[in-house]
Amino acid sequence: MAKKQFAVIGMGRFGSSVAKALSNLGFEVLAIDANEQRTQEVANMVTHAVSADTTDEDALRALGIRNFDVVVVAIGADIQASILTTLILKDLGVPKLIVKAQSELHGKVLSKIGADKVIYPERDMGLRVAHHLISPNILDFIELSDDYSIVEMRAPDQAIGKNLKQLDIRAKYKCNVLAIKTDNHMNISPYADDIIKENDVLVIVGKNQDLKNLEIIYAEG
Ligand code: ATP
């Protein structure tokens, strides 16, 4: 199977880090920005870097944008440019369109005009930092949907030395322990009699409200 080809539009902090990461992972990346200097800054880190105004349909056509498997639109502040670019890319038939939104309203418009996925990097990072601030035991927090999330937490004191059956997280908090990380080993199918050790990390899935209850109880421990 041929490797996926990506185009990333907008070389701000977010767009340029997506472009560089994809390139480091060995994928072909076309980086586009209206600002020549921004394009230059990433030129030696991606496959191709070009200066173009992506609200110009002919410019996008000339770049052969529809031949890319995935296009990421990472234009932030200029909401009009972000919306116009998305609309044109959709019309040109880009197979998968991922667009960064500044606000809920911006995101709603993007979904309506056909963005396949809308991402909110600032909001999501804020959420993750907030969960970490509730308790240093919360290492990471990933939103799966509006209602469900995954939380990665260091085993609280009250869990150490107990097995999953004794902790009874499923019945008490309606959450599920997906995995237990011990040092560098990941136990991805934990059994009821697996014992939680000091410094273990629990990966737990659940409804947001249920996870919140569990986080509060386990925050101090
Ligand atoms: P970040 O937070 O990721 O740094 P941001 O949300 O502040 O980014 P901007 O800096 O406003 O976003 O935009 C990102 C990039 O998008 C800028 O480098 C800008 O030049 C580029 N850009 C804006 N409009 C267009 C356009 N019409 N065509 C191509 N690039 C554009």
Side-chain angles (χ1 to χ4, degrees), residues 10-14 33-35 38 52-55 74-77 81 100:
M11 291 296 112
R13 285 158 297 183
F14 180 74
D33 199 293
N35 180 321
R38 289 267 167 110
D53 178 352
T54 56
T55 60
I75 299 172
K100 169 183 147 157

Side-chain angles (χ1 to χ4, degrees), residues 4-219:
K4 272 189 181 164
Q5 292 190 316
F6 295 88
V8 183
I9 298 171
M11 291 296 112
R13 285 158 297 183
F14 180 74
S16 60
S17 79
V18 171
K20 286 180 216 162
L22 286 168
S23 189
N24 283 338
L25 289 166
F27 290 94
E28 274 193 33
V29 180
L30 168 66
I32 308 170
D33 199 293
N35 180 321
E36 176 84 44
Q37 197 189 332
R38 289 267 167 110
T39 316
Q40 290 293 330
E41 280 164 11
V42 296
N44 56 3
M45 288 176 263
V46 295
T47 323
H48 300 287
V50 295
S51 289
D53 178 352
T54 56
T55 60
D56 175 353
E57 184 169 344
D58 293 335
L60 280 180
R61 226 186 262 279
L63 289 171
I65 202 81
R66 50 177 300 193
N67 299 322
F68 287 82
D69 302 291
V70 182
V71 179
V72 179
V73 181
I75 299 172
D78 189 344
I79 290 183
Q80 184 173 329
S82 153
I83 292 171
L84 277 176
T85 298
T86 304
L87 203 57
I88 296 169
L89 290 168
K90 189 71 194 170
D91 270 358
L92 289 175
V94 166
K96 189 159 180 155
L97 202 46
I98 296 168
V99 190
K100 169 183 147 157
Q102 285 281 80
S103 63
E104 294 285 334
L105 193 59
H106 182 196
K108 253 189 202 168
V109 174
L110 295 171
S111 298
K112 282 240 159 102
I113 61 175
D116 298 292
K117 190 167 173 61
V118 177
I119 45 177
Y120 303 87
E122 288 92 355
R123 185 200 67 180
D124 290 352
M125 199 59 204
L127 202 66
R128 292 165 91 162
V129 170
H131 278 269
H132 183 62
L133 290 174
I134 297 173
S135 155
N137 278 343
I138 311 294
L139 304 175
D140 207 351
F141 181 89
I142 302 162
E143 222 179 10
L144 296 177
S145 70
D146 284 348
D147 298 325
Y148 292 87
S149 302
I150 290 180
V151 66
E152 197 184 42
M153 72 161 66
R154 195 175 294 119
D157 287 348
Q158 67 255 49
I160 293 164
K162 299 206 173 101
N163 63 29
L164 289 179
K165 194 173 161 55
Q166 289 166 319
L167 289 178
D168 211 13
I169 287 173
R170 203 175 285 172
K172 279 191 192 149
Y173 304 101
K174 302 195 203 77
C175 296
N176 226 342
V177 178
L178 291 179
I180 303 170
K181 203 153 59 174
T182 307
D183 299 325
N184 286 328
H185 176 256
M186 192 85 170
N187 173 2
I188 55 163
S189 51
Y191 290 111
D193 56 2
D194 281 345
I195 292 175
I196 312 295
K197 293 181 283 303
E198 201 173 348
N199 295 325
D200 276 1
V201 172
L202 308 178
V203 183
I204 304 169
V205 67
K207 272 197 165 174
N208 291 335
Q209 187 56 49
D210 297 329
L211 283 172
K212 204 192 277 176
N213 295 338
L214 178 131
E215 279 179 38
I216 290 166
I217 298 290
Y218 278 180

